[in-house]
mmCIF file of all heavy atoms in Angstrom:
data_model
loop_
_atom_site.group_PDB
_atom_site.id
_atom_site.type_symbol
_atom_site.label_atom_id
_atom_site.label_comp_id
_atom_site.label_asym_id
_atom_site.label_seq_id
_atom_site.Cartn_x
_atom_site.Cartn_y
_atom_site.Cartn_z
ATOM 1 N N GLU A 386 7.748 -8.252 3.965
ATOM 2 C CA GLU A 386 7.269 -9.013 2.815
ATOM 3 C C GLU A 386 5.900 -8.469 2.390
ATOM 4 O O GLU A 386 5.130 -7.996 3.175
ATOM 5 C CB GLU A 386 7.035 -10.482 3.311
ATOM 6 C CG GLU A 386 8.248 -11.139 3.823
ATOM 7 C CD GLU A 386 9.366 -11.272 2.822
ATOM 8 O OE1 GLU A 386 9.016 -11.662 1.636
ATOM 9 O OE2 GLU A 386 10.540 -11.018 3.078
ATOM 10 N N PRO A 405 -1.707 -12.787 10.678
ATOM 11 C CA PRO A 405 -0.678 -13.013 9.630
ATOM 12 C C PRO A 405 -1.139 -14.094 8.635
ATOM 13 O O PRO A 405 -0.675 -15.186 8.583
ATOM 14 C CB PRO A 405 0.538 -13.529 10.446
ATOM 15 C CG PRO A 405 -0.064 -14.071 11.746
ATOM 16 C CD PRO A 405 -1.266 -13.337 11.970
ATOM 17 N N ILE A 407 -1.299 -15.670 5.204
ATOM 18 C CA ILE A 407 -0.514 -15.636 3.968
ATOM 19 C C ILE A 407 -1.292 -16.056 2.783
ATOM 20 O O ILE A 407 -0.940 -15.697 1.705
ATOM 21 C CB ILE A 407 0.690 -16.640 4.241
ATOM 22 C CG1 ILE A 407 1.829 -16.284 3.273
ATOM 23 C CG2 ILE A 407 0.280 -18.111 4.135
ATOM 24 C CD1 ILE A 407 3.170 -16.997 3.733
ATOM 25 N N ARG A 435 5.507 -7.279 13.516
ATOM 26 C CA ARG A 435 5.075 -8.609 14.141
ATOM 27 C C ARG A 435 4.389 -9.445 13.065
ATOM 28 O O ARG A 435 4.730 -10.663 13.039
ATOM 29 C CB ARG A 435 4.015 -8.271 15.198
ATOM 30 C CG ARG A 435 4.567 -8.045 16.574
ATOM 31 C CD ARG A 435 3.492 -8.164 17.669
ATOM 32 N NE ARG A 435 2.351 -7.275 17.411
ATOM 33 C CZ ARG A 435 2.295 -5.994 17.765
ATOM 34 N NH1 ARG A 435 3.349 -5.450 18.345
ATOM 35 N NH2 ARG A 435 1.243 -5.263 17.523
ATOM 36 N N ILE A 436 3.614 -8.863 12.264
ATOM 37 C CA ILE A 436 2.992 -9.727 11.223
ATOM 38 C C ILE A 436 3.973 -10.235 10.248
ATOM 39 O O ILE A 436 3.980 -11.372 9.803
ATOM 40 C CB ILE A 436 1.889 -8.883 10.500
ATOM 41 C CG1 ILE A 436 0.799 -8.629 11.523
ATOM 42 C CG2 ILE A 436 1.382 -9.561 9.313
ATOM 43 C CD1 ILE A 436 -0.424 -8.055 11.026
ATOM 44 N N ASN A 437 4.934 -9.399 9.941
ATOM 45 C CA ASN A 437 5.989 -9.801 9.017
ATOM 46 C C ASN A 437 6.760 -10.993 9.568
ATOM 47 O O ASN A 437 6.984 -11.986 8.810
ATOM 48 C CB ASN A 437 6.969 -8.591 8.806
ATOM 49 C CG ASN A 437 7.857 -8.819 7.604
ATOM 50 O OD1 ASN A 437 7.329 -9.123 6.532
ATOM 51 N ND2 ASN A 437 9.168 -8.674 7.813
ATOM 52 N N THR A 438 7.037 -10.979 10.818
ATOM 53 C CA THR A 438 7.836 -12.116 11.400
ATOM 54 C C THR A 438 6.964 -13.394 11.299
ATOM 55 O O THR A 438 7.449 -14.419 10.886
ATOM 56 C CB THR A 438 8.109 -11.823 12.921
ATOM 57 O OG1 THR A 438 8.964 -10.668 12.933
ATOM 58 C CG2 THR A 438 8.899 -12.930 13.547
ATOM 59 N N ALA A 439 5.685 -13.270 11.650
ATOM 60 C CA ALA A 439 4.838 -14.437 11.594
ATOM 61 C C ALA A 439 4.673 -14.927 10.187
ATOM 62 O O ALA A 439 4.496 -16.125 9.944
ATOM 63 C CB ALA A 439 3.538 -14.115 12.284
ATOM 64 N N ILE A 440 4.609 -14.025 9.234
ATOM 65 C CA ILE A 440 4.462 -14.421 7.828
ATOM 66 C C ILE A 440 5.772 -15.140 7.373
ATOM 67 O O ILE A 440 5.730 -16.181 6.711
ATOM 68 C CB ILE A 440 4.239 -13.179 6.905
ATOM 69 C CG1 ILE A 440 2.819 -12.553 7.155
ATOM 70 C CG2 ILE A 440 4.509 -13.451 5.493
ATOM 71 C CD1 ILE A 440 1.708 -13.275 6.475
ATOM 72 N N ILE A 441 6.901 -14.597 7.712
ATOM 73 C CA ILE A 441 8.156 -15.242 7.308
ATOM 74 C C ILE A 441 8.286 -16.710 7.797
ATOM 75 O O ILE A 441 8.724 -17.564 7.122
ATOM 76 C CB ILE A 441 9.379 -14.327 7.772
ATOM 77 C CG1 ILE A 441 9.464 -13.161 6.929
ATOM 78 C CG2 ILE A 441 10.688 -15.217 7.686
ATOM 79 C CD1 ILE A 441 10.496 -12.180 7.312
ATOM 80 N N HIS A 442 7.781 -16.870 9.003
ATOM 81 C CA HIS A 442 7.799 -18.214 9.564
ATOM 82 C C HIS A 442 6.976 -19.202 8.825
ATOM 83 O O HIS A 442 7.057 -20.370 9.043
ATOM 84 C CB HIS A 442 7.529 -18.231 11.057
ATOM 85 C CG HIS A 442 8.455 -17.415 11.894
ATOM 86 N ND1 HIS A 442 8.327 -17.073 13.176
ATOM 87 C CD2 HIS A 442 9.647 -16.848 11.509
ATOM 88 C CE1 HIS A 442 9.320 -16.341 13.549
ATOM 89 N NE2 HIS A 442 10.155 -16.196 12.566
ATOM 90 N N GLN A 443 6.068 -18.675 8.004
ATOM 91 C CA GLN A 443 5.254 -19.608 7.136
ATOM 92 C C GLN A 443 5.738 -19.715 5.762
ATOM 93 O O GLN A 443 5.196 -20.487 4.948
ATOM 94 C CB GLN A 443 3.832 -19.012 7.073
ATOM 95 C CG GLN A 443 3.134 -18.768 8.388
ATOM 96 C CD GLN A 443 1.807 -18.030 8.182
ATOM 97 O OE1 GLN A 443 0.925 -18.486 7.401
ATOM 98 N NE2 GLN A 443 1.662 -16.894 8.766
ATOM 99 N N LEU A 444 6.669 -18.883 5.293
ATOM 100 C CA LEU A 444 7.086 -18.897 3.894
ATOM 101 C C LEU A 444 7.808 -20.134 3.485
ATOM 102 O O LEU A 444 8.722 -20.604 4.183
ATOM 103 C CB LEU A 444 7.978 -17.608 3.595
ATOM 104 C CG LEU A 444 7.314 -16.293 3.504
ATOM 105 C CD1 LEU A 444 8.345 -15.215 3.372
ATOM 106 C CD2 LEU A 444 6.362 -16.202 2.407
ATOM 107 N N GLU A 445 7.405 -20.699 2.360
ATOM 108 C CA GLU A 445 8.075 -21.929 1.860
ATOM 109 C C GLU A 445 9.364 -21.589 1.182
ATOM 110 O O GLU A 445 9.537 -20.456 0.639
ATOM 111 C CB GLU A 445 7.186 -22.668 0.846
ATOM 112 C CG GLU A 445 5.931 -23.225 1.483
ATOM 113 C CD GLU A 445 6.207 -24.262 2.638
ATOM 114 O OE1 GLU A 445 7.306 -24.859 2.628
ATOM 115 O OE2 GLU A 445 5.343 -24.445 3.458
ATOM 116 N N TRP A 462 17.010 -23.375 5.060
ATOM 117 C CA TRP A 462 15.860 -22.469 5.238
ATOM 118 C C TRP A 462 15.063 -22.913 6.442
ATOM 119 O O TRP A 462 14.716 -22.069 7.292
ATOM 120 C CB TRP A 462 15.012 -22.431 3.995
ATOM 121 C CG TRP A 462 13.742 -21.633 4.060
ATOM 122 C CD1 TRP A 462 12.536 -22.182 3.942
ATOM 123 C CD2 TRP A 462 13.573 -20.277 4.430
ATOM 124 N NE1 TRP A 462 11.536 -21.201 4.147
ATOM 125 C CE2 TRP A 462 12.219 -20.038 4.482
ATOM 126 C CE3 TRP A 462 14.444 -19.176 4.721
ATOM 127 C CZ2 TRP A 462 11.623 -18.758 4.807
ATOM 128 C CZ3 TRP A 462 13.952 -17.979 5.070
ATOM 129 C CH2 TRP A 462 12.575 -17.754 5.072
ATOM 130 N N HIS A 463 14.738 -24.178 6.504
ATOM 131 C CA HIS A 463 13.933 -24.645 7.595
ATOM 132 C C HIS A 463 14.637 -24.501 8.956
ATOM 133 O O HIS A 463 13.997 -24.254 9.984
ATOM 134 C CB HIS A 463 13.463 -26.090 7.406
ATOM 135 C CG HIS A 463 12.314 -26.136 6.444
ATOM 136 N ND1 HIS A 463 12.262 -26.963 5.378
ATOM 137 C CD2 HIS A 463 11.182 -25.444 6.377
ATOM 138 C CE1 HIS A 463 11.138 -26.759 4.682
ATOM 139 N NE2 HIS A 463 10.478 -25.786 5.238
ATOM 140 N N ILE A 465 16.862 -22.031 9.791
ATOM 141 C CA ILE A 465 17.017 -20.649 10.268
ATOM 142 C C ILE A 465 15.700 -19.868 10.272
ATOM 143 O O ILE A 465 15.566 -18.834 10.945
ATOM 144 C CB ILE A 465 18.108 -19.886 9.526
ATOM 145 C CG1 ILE A 465 17.678 -19.622 8.118
ATOM 146 C CG2 ILE A 465 19.473 -20.606 9.622
ATOM 147 C CD1 ILE A 465 18.322 -18.346 7.591
ATOM 148 N N ARG A 466 14.706 -20.300 9.474
ATOM 149 C CA ARG A 466 13.452 -19.590 9.343
ATOM 150 C C ARG A 466 12.850 -19.183 10.685
ATOM 151 O O ARG A 466 12.429 -18.000 10.831
ATOM 152 C CB ARG A 466 12.492 -20.431 8.516
ATOM 153 C CG ARG A 466 11.145 -19.802 8.173
ATOM 154 C CD ARG A 466 10.361 -20.585 7.258
ATOM 155 N NE ARG A 466 9.798 -21.820 7.961
ATOM 156 C CZ ARG A 466 8.822 -22.595 7.457
ATOM 157 N NH1 ARG A 466 8.405 -22.419 6.266
ATOM 158 N NH2 ARG A 466 8.439 -23.638 8.136
ATOM 159 N N PRO A 467 12.786 -20.086 11.692
ATOM 160 C CA PRO A 467 12.191 -19.595 12.926
ATOM 161 C C PRO A 467 12.907 -18.466 13.672
ATOM 162 O O PRO A 467 12.387 -17.902 14.606
ATOM 163 C CB PRO A 467 12.207 -20.882 13.834
ATOM 164 C CG PRO A 467 12.462 -22.016 12.893
ATOM 165 C CD PRO A 467 13.238 -21.470 11.782
ATOM 166 N N ASN A 468 14.183 -18.205 13.259
ATOM 167 C CA ASN A 468 14.953 -17.142 13.889
ATOM 168 C C ASN A 468 14.820 -15.796 13.202
ATOM 169 O O ASN A 468 15.413 -14.819 13.654
ATOM 170 C CB ASN A 468 16.371 -17.586 13.994
ATOM 171 C CG ASN A 468 16.561 -18.621 14.969
ATOM 172 O OD1 ASN A 468 16.261 -19.763 14.683
ATOM 173 N ND2 ASN A 468 17.045 -18.275 16.189
ATOM 174 N N LEU A 469 14.155 -15.775 12.075
ATOM 175 C CA LEU A 469 14.157 -14.569 11.271
ATOM 176 C C LEU A 469 13.000 -13.633 11.526
ATOM 177 O O LEU A 469 11.855 -14.101 11.763
ATOM 178 C CB LEU A 469 14.040 -14.924 9.831
ATOM 179 C CG LEU A 469 15.212 -15.762 9.176
ATOM 180 C CD1 LEU A 469 14.894 -16.010 7.698
ATOM 181 C CD2 LEU A 469 16.520 -15.061 9.354
ATOM 182 N N SER A 470 13.272 -12.313 11.649
ATOM 183 C CA SER A 470 12.157 -11.379 11.593
ATOM 184 C C SER A 470 12.166 -10.618 10.272
ATOM 185 O O SER A 470 11.308 -9.790 9.996
ATOM 186 C CB SER A 470 12.191 -10.485 12.830
ATOM 187 O OG SER A 470 13.436 -9.831 12.826
ATOM 188 N N SER A 471 13.221 -10.881 9.467
ATOM 189 C CA SER A 471 13.215 -10.295 8.114
ATOM 190 C C SER A 471 14.268 -11.118 7.327
ATOM 191 O O SER A 471 15.179 -11.692 7.941
ATOM 192 C CB SER A 471 13.765 -8.842 8.185
ATOM 193 O OG SER A 471 14.782 -8.622 7.297
ATOM 194 N N LEU A 472 13.985 -11.271 6.034
ATOM 195 C CA LEU A 472 14.868 -12.089 5.235
ATOM 196 C C LEU A 472 16.288 -11.537 5.144
ATOM 197 O O LEU A 472 17.234 -12.195 4.835
ATOM 198 C CB LEU A 472 14.247 -12.206 3.833
ATOM 199 C CG LEU A 472 14.114 -13.594 3.283
ATOM 200 C CD1 LEU A 472 13.220 -14.464 4.153
ATOM 201 C CD2 LEU A 472 13.563 -13.646 1.872
ATOM 202 N N GLU A 474 18.067 -10.952 7.421
ATOM 203 C CA GLU A 474 18.876 -11.492 8.454
ATOM 204 C C GLU A 474 19.426 -12.954 8.114
ATOM 205 O O GLU A 474 20.204 -13.524 8.876
ATOM 206 C CB GLU A 474 18.156 -11.583 9.796
ATOM 207 C CG GLU A 474 17.700 -10.226 10.356
ATOM 208 C CD GLU A 474 16.516 -10.461 11.310
ATOM 209 O OE1 GLU A 474 16.071 -11.541 11.585
ATOM 210 O OE2 GLU A 474 16.061 -9.387 11.825
#
Side-chain angles (χ1 to χ4, degrees):
E386 300 299 315
I407 202 166
R435 268 197 306 279
I436 293 188
N437 195 50
T438 300
I440 289 280
I441 287 177
H442 297 171
Q443 302 172 58
L444 286 173
E445 293 301 335
W462 170 243
H463 282 129
I465 69 151
R466 184 175 72 170
N468 289 75
L469 300 179
S470 54
S471 130
L472 232 61
E474 299 159 359

